[in-house]
Amino acid sequence: MSLASFIGQEGKFDDARRQYRKALDADPDYALAHLNIAILYDLYLQEPKEALPHYQAYQQLLPAEDGVVAKWIIELETPHTSSCKQTAKENG
């Protein structure tokens, strides 16, 4: 299940959210589903409060910390910081 496959279809954000929720209901330890739904909430739906627990769950499920996601978590915990993710999204 790829975030790009949903995001590539304009206006399919609700479908993507439903699919990731369904995947997480089936397997709460599905790390990539946590990451993808976090990105969806954070960047595309502008719902950072919904994204944060999924980024955290993703980190907890990994055998080693993902440094990039760790920075995103800090950004969400400190909302006044500038967003590297938004810049990355704008730059493709």
Side-chain angles (χ1 to χ4, degrees):
M1 176 184 327
S2 165
L3 179 62
S5 67
F6 289 114
I7 301 306
Q9 301 172 358
E10 188 174 327
K12 298 292 185 182
F13 301 129
D14 287 334
D15 290 341
R17 180 178 14 210
R18 276 191 293 278
Q19 292 300 319
Y20 291 130
R21 282 267 172 227
K22 185 189 257 187
L24 289 169
D25 287 344
D27 182 2
D29 293 334
Y30 187 4
L32 288 177
H34 279 291
L35 176 62
N36 285 334
I37 198 169
I39 293 169
L40 178 70
Y41 278 129
D42 191 11
L43 295 181
Y44 295 94
L45 299 176
Q46 301 298 308
E47 297 179 28
K49 289 181 183 179
E50 296 293 327
L52 182 58
H54 290 287
Y55 283 134
Q56 293 167 330
Y58 171 73
Q59 284 287 59
Q60 291 174 351
L61 291 166
L62 295 180
E65 182 179 88
D66 180 323
V68 172
V69 173
K71 290 177 185 178
W72 295 348
I73 290 170
I74 291 168
E75 285 182 12
L76 291 181
E77 291 174 336
T78 315
H80 64 278
T81 62
S82 63
S83 175
C84 297
K85 296 182 305 298
Q86 186 62 35
T87 302
K89 178 183 167 191
E90 291 168 357
N91 291 332

